[in-house]
Amino acid sequence: MYRGCERGLCAKGCGRQDKQLNSYDWLADIPGNVDVTDLVEVQFKNTRKGYYHNVNHLDLKKGDIVAVEANPGHDIGVVTLTGQLVELQLKKANIKSADDIRRIYRLAKPVDMEKYHEAKAREHATMIESRQIAKGLGLDMKIGDVEYQGDGNKAIFYYIADERVDFRQLIKDLAAAFHVRIEMKQIGARQEAGRIGGTGPCGRELCCATWMKNFNSVGTNAARFQDISLNPQKLAGMCAKLKCCLNYEIDNYVEAGRRLPSREIMLQTADSDYYLFKSDILAGLVTYSTDKKKPVNLETITAERARQIIEMNKRGEKPLTLDEDPAKNQPERPVDLLADADVTRFDSARKKKKNKRRNPERREGQGSGNPRNERERRGEHHRQSDRPAEAERHDKPQE
């Protein structure tokens, strides 16, 4: 991490811990920022945050572990934000009652940390046993996680349920089993996925497990505006709900879609009528077909050209073609690299290379393993040996 502030990134604004929903304090390097308010944002397990008054005027920074007031006892959390931005976060959390804002006692001592770690060590075993108790009562719910308070006097049970659950008897059984104060907190499927974490189809860690602070509703209209196929398997995330990232670029698609012509408008030219077949929203291109349901004689033009033709049709005019310059859209013919080339040039080069590698003696036919060459060589030898005898017969006088 860069430790200076001259590049716009101040080390004071970044947390010293790997915590989910960590906010960057871009006012941390401004003098007097901490003195504006005594409110401090403290984060606990499972993205649970609280806001507290620093009544003792402690020198708190991001990442400090503090003991805060709880009901009953005290809790242990991590400071995630100080200064003026806490007031904005308070408005965003819609906390209006002053009773919801408690006090910060002190920086966590070693004794506090020992109790904290002891309580955290009991969470997994408590969750398993609580699931068995809920199953024994026949409740249609799933207990996803358990969070113990820092002093171990209270436990929060996070559960998932599709319908309303009457867990009054469950609270009595849990209190008798664990001897702590019980609080039930219902969470949704997206909060459950953010708590568990994982890797999305994009190859990155889930947004709900890293930086997302709240969950906005996602509808199928977001996929329709972006011209995405309504395939449930591809649109659903790890939580089996619609992906939150469908809302990231929806505003750009809606704004770009306003510049495209309506799907119901037909373009008329001198030769035929064209119907909208598909559109590239971000590129501003529309493709038209001469058939309503089939891709026939497809023509791709810009949205601006389509609006020009619509205005011409309103005036009773029909252009010759959809495109102003038909030569632009003529597809380039593929170039045949072997059109004027002789394919046999590779064979002749291979023969020359073979002839160079041969031994000169073998080229004369000596010592070669070819039977035909051997027979020819032997025949030439016999013919050469017979020539002197024939010459003697011709030179001998006749008697």
Side-chain angles (χ1 to χ4, degrees), residues 88 106 113 131 133 136 140-141 151 155 164 180 182 186 190 231 244 269 283 315 321 341 359 373 378 392 398:
L88 300 179
R106 59 186 177 274
M113 296 306 299
R131 287 181 177 178
I133 296 174
D140 188 11
M141 59 182 297
D151 55 1
R164 187 168 182 176
V180 292
I182 306 299
Q186 184 176 5
R190 294 182 177 180
N231 188 348
C244 297
T269 59
R315 297 193 300 266
T321 59
N359 195 346
N373 295 338
R378 290 175 184 174
E392 290 177 0
Q398 297 180 358

Side-chain angles (χ1 to χ4, degrees), residues 282-314:
L282 297 182
L285 300 177
V286 287
T287 302
Y288 284 88
S289 172
T290 54
D291 193 284
K292 283 186 176 182
K293 300 179 180 180
K294 300 179 181 179
V296 180
N297 300 327
L298 296 180
E299 293 285 344
T300 302
I301 59 176
T302 61
E304 183 179 359
R305 174 59 179 170
R307 289 195 299 269
Q308 293 177 0
I309 297 176
I310 292 173
E311 295 296 331
M312 294 174 65
N313 294 153
K314 290 181 179 179

Side-chain angles (χ1 to χ4, degrees), residues 8-67:
L9 178 62
C10 181
K12 296 180 181 179
C14 297
R16 293 179 290 176
Q17 79 286 348
D18 184 14
K19 285 291 181 182
Q20 187 181 0
L21 308 184
N22 184 24
S23 302
Y24 176 71
D25 189 3
W26 48 275
L27 296 177
D29 57 338
I30 297 178
N33 177 47
V34 183
D35 301 332
V36 174
T37 179
D38 63 343
L39 291 173
V40 178
E41 183 185 73
V42 181
Q43 181 173 326
F44 306 94
K45 187 181 178 181
N46 291 335
T47 70
R48 183 171 63 94
K49 286 186 176 182
Y51 299 92
Y52 300 88
H53 285 294
N54 185 9
V55 293
N56 297 325
H57 303 288
L58 302 174
D59 186 15
L60 299 178
K61 299 178 181 178
K62 294 191 68 171
D64 291 341
I65 303 176
V66 294

Side-chain angles (χ1 to χ4, degrees), residues 226-242:
Q226 301 178 56
D227 201 12
I228 300 176
S229 176
L230 298 179
N231 188 348
Q233 296 180 352
K234 294 184 178 180
L235 295 181
M238 302 294 289
C239 57
K241 303 292 184 181
L242 291 177

Side-chain angles (χ1 to χ4, degrees), residues 20-163:
Q20 187 181 0
L21 308 184
N22 184 24
S23 302
Y24 176 71
D25 189 3
W26 48 275
L27 296 177
D29 57 338
I30 297 178
N33 177 47
V34 183
D35 301 332
V36 174
T37 179
D38 63 343
L39 291 173
V40 178
E41 183 185 73
V42 181
Q43 181 173 326
F44 306 94
K45 187 181 178 181
N46 291 335
T47 70
R48 183 171 63 94
K49 286 186 176 182
Y51 299 92
Y52 300 88
H53 285 294
N54 185 9
V55 293
N56 297 325
H57 303 288
L58 302 174
D59 186 15
L60 299 178
K61 299 178 181 178
K62 294 191 68 171
D64 291 341
I65 303 176
V66 294
V68 299
E69 182 183 1
N71 186 19
H74 69 274
D75 202 353
I76 302 297
V78 181
V79 177
T80 55
L81 198 63
T82 59
Q84 190 174 356
L85 290 183
V86 182
E87 296 180 348
L88 300 179
Q89 293 287 87
L90 200 64
K91 293 180 181 179
K92 190 174 183 180
N94 198 18
I95 298 177
K96 300 179 180 179
S97 177
D99 298 335
D100 296 335
I101 304 176
R102 296 187 173 92
R103 299 174 299 167
I104 294 179
Y105 288 144
R106 59 186 177 274
L107 290 171
K109 298 180 180 180
V111 178
D112 300 330
M113 296 306 299
E114 290 179 3
K115 292 182 180 180
Y116 173 77
H117 292 305
E118 289 177 1
K120 293 300 175 183
R122 297 157 50 191
E123 290 180 350
H124 183 70
T126 302
M127 180 186 66
I128 300 300
E129 188 174 353
S130 63
R131 287 181 177 178
Q132 296 175 356
I133 296 174
K135 185 177 181 181
L137 295 175
L139 299 178
D140 188 11
M141 59 182 297
K142 175 189 174 184
I143 298 179
D145 197 6
V146 177
E147 179 186 2
Y148 270 96
Q149 197 170 271
D151 55 1
N153 294 330
K154 180 182 175 182
I156 302 176
F157 290 81
Y158 297 91
Y159 71 96
I160 303 174
D162 295 333
E163 299 178 357

